[in-house]
Amino acid sequence: MMNEDDKKIFDELYEKLFPNFVGYVNSHIQDEKVAEDIVQESFIIAYNKIDTMLASPNPSGWLFWVVKNTMRNYIRVSGRVAREIVIVPPDWWANNLSDEKSAEENIDFLYNDLLKYDEYKLLKKFAVDKTPQKELAEEQGISLAACKQKIYRAKIKLGKIIKKMKKS
């Protein structure tokens, strides 16, 4: 739990640095909403590691390092997923579901009754269209953590599909 002094320092850093960090990240990725998400995620990391940040001789520098690494990770992950998702045609995605689905679910999927390429659409919006995770979560009416988990699972599924395609 954060004490009042730590909270005051954290709040001051947030107020002072948030706009600058958003500008820095936006200069690299050219999407202000995504930049805000990345900086917000960086501040969440800092909040969870407040003792480490405050133990640093330069808390602002430590926080900037977190922002840079969070941005690099976003670029790396979204770039890889974007490259992979364009390899897999939507009809292949629909016709070659992993073994996790039952025959009934496969039929529903093939006829677009229930699933309607949900994982494909989610990954495409995240990686290709660069839609911020917060916005995706709001669109789906789920929490940000649940949205991140869905994206993670969809990436795992995409990896399996690509492996399966390469074997074919």
Side-chain angles (χ1 to χ4, degrees), residues 4 9 23 28 31 36 43 52-53 58 66 70 72 74 92 102 104 111 113 118 129 131 134 138 150 156-157 167:
E4 284 301 313
I9 293 169
H28 286 80
D31 188 323
E36 288 174 357
F43 273 95
T52 305
M53 182 181 78
N58 180 3
V66 171
T70 304
R72 286 181 185 151
Y74 169 82
W92 197 96
S102 69
E104 290 174 345
Y111 290 101
D113 289 338
D118 281 343
D129 301 339
T131 304
K134 184 177 179 182
E138 289 170 1
K150 283 180 96 171
I156 298 293
K157 183 178 258 188
K167 288 180 183 179

Side-chain angles (χ1 to χ4, degrees), residues 7-57:
K7 184 177 178 351
K8 183 178 178 188
I9 293 169
F10 182 86
D11 289 346
E12 287 172 1
L13 286 171
Y14 184 90
E15 291 297 320
K16 176 182 169 189
L17 298 175
F18 189 88
N20 296 336
F21 287 163
V22 169
Y24 170 77
V25 173
N26 191 38
S27 73
H28 286 80
I29 61 171
Q30 279 76 48
D31 188 323
E32 192 163 355
K33 286 184 180 183
V34 173
E36 288 174 357
D37 280 355
I38 289 169
V39 174
Q40 188 66 34
E41 187 171 334
S42 300
F43 273 95
I44 290 169
I45 291 167
Y47 184 87
N48 290 328
K49 297 183 178 202
I50 189 73
D51 293 334
T52 305
M53 182 181 78
L54 295 178
S56 168

Side-chain angles (χ1 to χ4, degrees), residues 9 13 32 57 79 99 106 111 121-123 133 145 153 155:
I9 293 169
L13 286 171
E32 192 163 355
D99 297 331
N106 284 338
Y111 290 101
K121 287 180 184 177
L122 180 65
L123 278 180
Q133 292 177 345
R153 288 182 182 146
K155 285 190 275 188

